[in-house]
Amino acid sequence: MESKKLSAESAPVFQEGISLILTRWSALTAAVENEWGGRDSLGKANAICTDVFSFFTEARAEPLYIDDLENLLEEGLLSLNTLVEDGSIEEVAEKLMIMHEECSEGNYQSVEKLRKTNPPPVAHVRPSSLNPVSMLTDEPKQNQSAEAEDGWVVVSSRKNKGYLTGMLLD
């Protein structure tokens, strides 16, 4: 895709759009919430946002290729110890490429639409203000759906907490 330059007006709008798309990406939000990338998972997610913005704004002779963006997103998720094979990397990359093209033309409709739509509930959770362990040990919710919640109950056992800590240190 031929790379168009973002104007001084469109660059911050596009940067906001990147953030809006990535904070709605369930793979990324799950990795941050569960600190799969360690204690600095939120910082690593913010670095992905910065890297994506740089991908689109760096001066380069060659055009932008969606495969390069997909690789960047995949590497970002790998920094969070997250591997996805659900097609979401390609979907997110496509949305970002389209949004970049629109913002380059001064069309901010896709960003405006994201601003107005409510993100999925998982995107509202901020890992710095919510302890994933406390979510797992929330006893009253256990009876809502025994099968769905059963995996969470097992994970919150003391034996598994030690196991998870050991995995993070390895």
Side-chain angles (χ1 to χ4, degrees):
M1 168 185 277
E2 187 62 34
S3 177
K4 294 184 179 181
K5 298 283 185 197
L6 293 168
S7 68
E9 176 189 333
S10 62
V13 175
F14 179 62
Q15 193 167 23
E16 178 188 0
I18 292 170
S19 178
L20 290 169
I21 287 174
L22 294 182
T23 58
R24 286 166 167 78
W25 188 12
S26 60
L28 182 60
T29 57
V32 171
E33 289 169 10
N34 295 298
E35 294 185 337
W36 294 339
R39 291 184 180 176
D40 191 34
S41 293
L42 181 59
K44 291 176 182 179
N46 289 334
I48 295 171
C49 290
T50 301
D51 292 346
V52 168
F53 184 70
S54 296
F55 171 82
F56 285 103
T57 57
E58 285 179 355
R60 64 179 89 209
E62 71 272 2
L64 299 174
Y65 293 106
I66 195 166
D67 292 344
D68 294 334
L69 179 57
E70 290 170 2
N71 290 337
L72 177 72
L73 293 170
E74 183 175 26
E75 289 170 14
L77 285 181
L78 287 175
S79 76
L80 292 163
N81 298 314
T82 306
L83 179 64
V84 295
E85 296 177 348
D86 61 357
S88 63
I89 290 175
E90 295 80 6
E91 182 182 343
V92 169
E94 183 179 3
K95 287 179 180 181
L96 290 168
M97 294 292 273
I98 291 168
M99 183 181 291
H100 176 259
E101 182 72 21
E102 291 173 353
C103 287
S104 298
E105 296 169 352
N107 175 358
Y108 309 124
Q109 286 182 343
S110 57
V111 178
E112 287 294 330
K113 183 178 178 184
L114 286 170
R115 285 177 183 155
K116 291 177 183 175
T117 59
N118 290 329
V122 72
H124 284 295
V125 177
R126 297 287 179 218
S128 59
S129 65
L130 186 60
N131 182 350
V133 175
S134 68
M135 288 181 4
L136 299 177
T137 59
D138 191 2
E139 298 299 328
K141 293 185 180 181
Q142 193 172 7
N143 296 331
Q144 288 179 353
S145 173
E147 285 187 28
E149 296 295 315
D150 189 39
W152 290 107
V153 173
V154 172
V155 170
S156 66
S157 73
R158 290 182 185 192
K159 289 179 185 176
N160 285 343
K161 285 182 187 174
Y163 175 71
L164 290 174
T165 302
M167 291 206 34
L168 291 174
L169 296 175
D170 287 336

